[in-house]
Amino acid sequence: MPQSKIGLGFKFISKCIAGLTLVTLVFLNIVLPLYPDLRCSSSAGSDAFVPSELPSLWFIADPQIVADVPESPVFHFLNNRMNDIFYTLLAHIMQFRKGPFYGKFVLGDIQAYQFYRDDLFDNVAYRVFSMFAMGAKEDESVLSSDHWADLRFIAGNHDLGYARELRLQNIKRFENTYNQRLWSDTIVFPSDKPPVLLVACDGLELDGELRSNTSWEHLQSFVPGAFSNREGLPVILLLHIPLWKPPGSCPGDEPQFTYFRGQVAQQNTLSKATTDWILGTLKPAAVLTGHDHEGCTFIHEPHGTPEWTLRAVQGDYGGNTGVLTIGHDARGSVLLHMEQCPFFTTRLILVAVITLPVSLLILVLLSCCTTWVSRKEKYE
């Protein structure tokens, strides 16, 4: 006896839902875990070099994590959990496919708001270490980067505020929780190749009439031949705010500055004077920055200095991260290779996560309906 139109309709819908389920399973179990191999692309830098035995460096910018405010609605809490899962998934996949890393670095704007009260600040910090350091601390009241030496932070305007908003208590809690605002690290290679200096600076204080001497002294100490860099080692400079560039050089906003009583109230790049000093006097081998959100790769002429402004790691910007590999040419000179690794939007992953159980449930219901229709037609 031929099947009824209802039975054929159930079978057709079942095949469509089964196909959707298969696509979702492939995305979650194959595409997601392999995304670094599928989507990472080389950015400006030196492609033909001999990689060192040293692991690569992993960079993210501007996660801007929102604190769990107790009085907020349930949607706010659920949205935070989704973002936490997104960052955790991204970090674990990158560690699995591209790691191990010499270090992981957050290029500023760790949190969403610079004036969080202390309990909300600690809430964000605890979640940051849980997501990006591959494990949470047992004691949430003790937050010190001493236990997570491979995870380092640059201060951003959403962490401390621009120059006119800086408060001593905010600086102290940042340094007590994450690390010093001004720090350096010497990367020593297993071979006889010369070391490389990683230099992190609080660029929020470099401009304006009342600019900080502390930040400037930190940079000046790493000028080739100066106290902290007498051997003239190559410097990789880490900042939150990008260097000045001619208008139209990058997708983001053109250079803009707002001042209040001699202090910077807002800026999207460092000033041209500060940029010229960094490029002409400090002479870094490369500069890595955040802040811009859109991301940009730019070669500063005539110095030939590459600057990688990382696209934001936020889900709305595709979860982008950067992997920097340090190598050498045949003469032992340092060469750098940067890979930009876009992930997926939180919305796409959320749709996939919701689609899978829903489609499986629909398949079960359709199977039951098809069986019921078949039995009904058999006895009619």
Side-chain angles (χ1 to χ4, degrees), residues 84-123:
D84 288 1
I85 292 171
F86 174 81
Y87 286 138
T88 302
L89 180 65
L90 183 155
H92 277 76
I93 291 175
M94 285 299 296
Q95 180 75 20
F96 176 69
R97 299 303 303 176
K98 291 290 185 178
F101 297 113
Y102 173 86
K104 310 183 196 81
F105 304 89
V106 184
L107 296 171
D109 280 4
I110 306 161
Q111 59 188 32
Y113 183 54
Q114 61 266 40
F115 298 119
Y116 276 144
R117 60 180 189 253
D118 289 346
D119 61 321
L120 299 181
F121 181 90
D122 288 347
N123 170 262

Side-chain angles (χ1 to χ4, degrees), residues 55-59 100-105 149-152 185 198:
S56 300
L57 285 65
W58 187 51
F59 292 91
F101 297 113
Y102 173 86
K104 310 183 196 81
F105 304 89
D150 66 335
L151 185 58
R152 306 294 294 272
D185 187 13
L198 277 183

Side-chain angles (χ1 to χ4, degrees), residues 40 46 52 76 99 108 119 149 166 184 192 201 208 210 221 223 253 257 278 314 348 378:
C40 290
S46 302
S52 68
H76 174 93
D119 61 321
L166 289 176
S184 65
D192 58 351
C201 184
L210 302 178
S221 69
V223 170
D253 297 330
F257 303 87
I278 289 174
Q314 298 168 40
L348 179 60
K378 182 178 179 181

Side-chain angles (χ1 to χ4, degrees), residues 87-299:
Y87 286 138
T88 302
L89 180 65
L90 183 155
H92 277 76
I93 291 175
M94 285 299 296
Q95 180 75 20
F96 176 69
R97 299 303 303 176
K98 291 290 185 178
F101 297 113
Y102 173 86
K104 310 183 196 81
F105 304 89
V106 184
L107 296 171
D109 280 4
I110 306 161
Q111 59 188 32
Y113 183 54
Q114 61 266 40
F115 298 119
Y116 276 144
R117 60 180 189 253
D118 289 346
D119 61 321
L120 299 181
F121 181 90
D122 288 347
N123 170 262
V124 171
Y126 180 74
R127 288 160 54 207
V128 166
F129 284 109
S130 300
M131 293 181 286
F132 296 120
M134 306 303 168
K137 297 180 177 181
E138 295 180 1
D139 185 358
E140 188 170 343
S141 64
V142 180
L143 293 166
S144 170
S145 60
D146 293 342
H147 298 91
W148 303 100
D150 66 335
L151 185 58
R152 306 294 294 272
F153 301 89
I154 313 299
N157 54 289
H158 281 278
D159 307 313
L160 300 177
Y162 290 103
R164 70 174 292 262
E165 301 169 323
L166 289 176
R167 302 290 183 272
L168 182 58
Q169 61 268 31
N170 288 351
I171 292 174
K172 285 183 176 180
R173 74 176 183 180
F174 178 91
E175 295 188 333
N176 290 336
T177 300
Y178 296 114
N179 47 238
Q180 297 294 310
R181 292 180 303 146
L182 311 174
W183 57 266
S184 65
D185 187 13
T186 303
I187 301 177
V188 180
F189 299 95
S191 59
D192 58 351
K193 301 296 189 297
V196 172
L197 292 173
L198 277 183
V199 177
C201 184
D202 182 3
L204 301 166
E205 294 186 311
L206 292 177
D207 286 319
E209 296 176 12
L210 302 178
R211 65 191 189 186
S212 166
N213 288 330
T214 305
S215 296
W216 274 101
E217 289 170 359
H218 178 67
L219 285 183
Q220 289 165 353
S221 69
F222 290 98
V223 170
F227 175 74
S228 298
N229 190 14
R230 288 174 177 166
E231 299 177 8
L233 299 176
V235 169
I236 299 175
L237 180 61
L238 310 182
L239 297 164
H240 174 64
I241 298 180
L243 303 184
W244 183 92
K245 304 171 190 65
S249 300
C250 289
D253 297 330
E254 296 182 358
Q256 297 175 359
F257 303 87
T258 303
Y259 294 94
F260 179 80
R261 295 180 179 176
Q263 290 184 314
V264 175
Q266 191 170 4
Q267 64 184 136
N268 54 14
T269 70
L270 297 178
S271 68
K272 189 174 187 305
T274 298
T275 298
D276 289 343
W277 184 91
I278 289 174
L279 295 173
T281 305
L282 184 62
K283 300 178 181 178
V287 182
L288 284 95
T289 58
H291 189 60
D292 174 75
H293 287 203
E294 294 294 337
C296 177
T297 296
F298 186 78
I299 305 296

Side-chain angles (χ1 to χ4, degrees), residues 50-80:
V50 181
S52 68
E53 301 89 344
L54 193 75
S56 300
L57 285 65
W58 187 51
F59 292 91
I60 66 172
D62 305 281
Q64 292 191 3
I65 296 167
V66 178
D68 290 328
V69 182
E71 55 268 23
S72 295
V74 175
F75 172 79
H76 174 93
F77 178 82
L78 294 176
N79 186 63
N80 279 0

Side-chain angles (χ1 to χ4, degrees), residues 306-377:
E307 179 186 356
W308 293 293
T309 301
L310 262 65
R311 185 175 173 86
V313 73
Q314 298 168 40
D316 288 346
Y317 291 89
N320 189 78
T321 67
V323 178
L324 180 66
T325 304
I326 304 174
H328 301 85
D329 62 17
R331 297 174 298 176
S333 299
V334 170
L335 297 176
L336 303 172
H337 179 84
M338 171 65 85
E339 284 185 291
Q340 302 277 1
C341 298
F343 194 45
F344 299 94
T345 64
T346 47
R347 294 182 183 88
L348 179 60
I349 296 176
L350 180 61
V351 168
V353 170
I354 293 175
T355 297
L356 183 59
V358 171
S359 61
L360 289 173
L361 177 60
I362 293 174
L363 279 176
V364 172
L365 293 175
L366 286 173
S367 177
C368 294
C369 291
T370 302
T371 303
W372 179 79
V373 169
S374 298
R375 289 179 179 178
K376 186 174 181 296
E377 291 174 348

Side-chain angles (χ1 to χ4, degrees), residues 26-37 93 96-97:
V26 169
F27 175 74
L28 291 175
N29 292 279
I30 298 178
V31 177
L32 271 185
L34 295 179
Y35 98 90
D37 304 295
I93 291 175
F96 176 69
R97 299 303 303 176

